[in-house]
Amino acid sequence: MTDVQLGDIVVLAAGEDWPEHLFRVDYVFDDCVGGYSLTGPLEGEYGEPDFDLILSVQSREGADQ
């Protein structure tokens, strides 16, 4: 998923060492995003997950909720 924007809250796929969780996008790079986990055991931790781990965009910054 490459249409991710700064401030988006995305759902990241579960991995071997973590469950599916929410992640706030603070940076968009060529091959991944950077930001912080909002839920799960990695809550508050910085990471740079690849685009292929993004399952969906949960919300967009500034979008009507």
Side-chain angles (χ1 to χ4, degrees), residues 1-11 25 27-33 49-61:
M1 175 174 288
T2 58
D3 65 340
V4 176
Q5 302 169 16
L6 297 179
D8 285 354
I9 305 298
V10 298
V11 179
V25 176
Y27 306 98
V28 178
F29 303 111
D30 291 335
D31 59 348
C32 66
V33 295
D50 292 336
F51 288 122
D52 62 350
L53 288 176
I54 300 173
L55 298 177
S56 64
V57 175
Q58 170 106 4
S59 64
R60 296 214 183 260
E61 186 174 273

Side-chain angles (χ1 to χ4, degrees), residues 28-46:
V28 178
F29 303 111
D30 291 335
D31 59 348
C32 66
V33 295
Y36 292 87
S37 294
L38 299 176
T39 59
L42 299 176
E43 183 177 350
E45 295 292 323
Y46 178 81

Side-chain angles (χ1 to χ4, degrees), residues 11-24:
V11 179
L12 292 184
E16 212 171 285
D17 298 324
W18 65 87
E20 185 176 295
H21 62 284
L22 297 179
F23 184 87
R24 185 186 70 236

